[in-house]
Amino acid sequence: MKLERYLLYIMLICIMVLVGCGNNASEKDDTELIQDTEETQETETEFRVEIADATDVLTKTWGAYEDGTHFEIMGGHFSSALIGLPAKYDLSQTTDLVQMYCFPESQISVVDDAATMIDLYNAARFTAGVYHISDVASVQSVVDEIKNQVSANEWHGEKPEKLYVIKVDERYVVSVYGREPLVELFKQKLVSVYQTMVEVEIEEKLF
C-alpha cells in the first residue's frame, strides 16, 4: 500500500508539473501575440513626413518628379513669382487667389498659409494650390467649396479635364486641376512622398 501511495503521489506531481508547463507556454504565447500586435500597430502608424509649411508640400512633390517630366511653371503670386518652382502665395492678393486658382472667397478667412504652382502659359493645363486651414473643423467645407468653385468657373478656351482635392496631414488641403495626365502625375508624386498621410477627398472629371 505504501508503494502504491508513493507511486500515486509521484504521478500527481508529474501531472501538476506538466499542467504548469502548459499554462506557462500558453501565457508566453499570449504575451508574444500582444507584443507582435503592438509592433504591427507601431509599424502601421510610424510613417510620417514632417511638413514645414504649404510651400514645403509643393516643393517635395515637385522634387519627386523624374527628370524629363517637369514642365514650365510659375509659383506664387505673379507680383513676386518664382519661375520653375512652387512658391508661397501672398494671401493679401485675395482677388487673384479666387480668379487664378479657383479658391473660394468664402473660405479665405480660414487659410493662414498657402503655396501655389501653375502652368506658365495656361492655367487650365495645370494649376495646383496647397492651403493650410487654421481650424480643422473648417477643412471639409474648404474641400467642398473648392470643388464647387472649380466646377462653376467660366473657362475661356481650353478647359481643365480633371480635379483632385486632397487632404494631407489633416489640415493641408491640396487642389489640383488641369489636363488629366498632368493631374494624375502630380497626385501620384504627392502620394509617393506622403503615402498614408494623404486622403483623396474629391476626384472628378470636369470637361
Side-chain angles (χ1 to χ4, degrees), residues 41 73 75 86 91 97 111 141-142 174 197 206:
Q41 290 173 342
I73 63 164
L91 287 171
L97 190 63
V111 177
S141 61
V142 171
V174 180
M197 296 167 66
L206 296 172

Side-chain angles (χ1 to χ4, degrees), residues 57-71:
V57 175
L58 283 184
T59 301
K60 283 188 171 76
T61 302
W62 188 239
Y65 280 60
E66 288 83 10
D67 290 342
T69 60
H70 292 96
F71 48 95

Side-chain angles (χ1 to χ4, degrees), residues 19-169:
V19 171
C21 290
N23 286 340
N24 288 340
S26 177
E27 290 172 3
K28 183 178 179 182
D29 290 344
D30 290 344
T31 302
E32 289 176 349
L33 180 61
I34 292 169
Q35 289 174 342
D36 289 343
T37 302
E38 289 175 347
E39 288 174 2
T40 300
Q41 290 173 342
E42 287 175 3
T43 300
E44 291 175 349
T45 59
E46 69 184 4
F47 180 85
R48 179 165 182 78
V49 175
E50 292 300 322
I51 300 176
D53 54 22
T55 307
D56 192 37
V57 175
L58 283 184
T59 301
K60 283 188 171 76
T61 302
W62 188 239
Y65 280 60
E66 288 83 10
D67 290 342
T69 60
H70 292 96
F71 48 95
E72 292 186 89
I73 63 164
M74 175 188 81
H77 188 260
F78 64 83
S79 62
S80 57
L82 290 181
I83 304 301
L85 291 172
K88 184 181 182 68
Y89 188 89
D90 179 0
L91 287 171
S92 68
Q93 305 292 342
T94 57
T95 300
D96 289 327
L97 190 63
V98 174
Q99 293 180 352
M100 290 181 63
Y101 294 97
C102 287
F103 190 87
E105 187 173 6
S106 63
Q107 302 298 319
I108 291 176
S109 62
V110 299
V111 177
D112 58 14
D113 182 42
T116 57
M117 55 188 283
I118 190 170
D119 184 273
L120 192 56
Y121 306 107
N122 188 350
R125 184 172 184 265
F126 181 88
T127 294
V130 178
Y131 309 97
H132 183 264
I133 312 305
S134 57
D135 175 15
V136 71
S138 300
V139 168
Q140 192 57 52
S141 61
V142 171
V143 169
D144 295 337
E145 288 301 312
I146 287 175
K147 173 184 175 295
N148 294 338
Q149 184 81 17
V150 175
S151 299
N153 192 59
E154 293 184 9
W155 302 94
H156 303 286
E158 184 175 351
K159 299 175 181 178
E161 298 170 347
K162 190 162 189 180
L163 165 71
Y164 275 111
V165 185
I166 301 169
K167 187 168 67 177
V168 179
D169 197 29

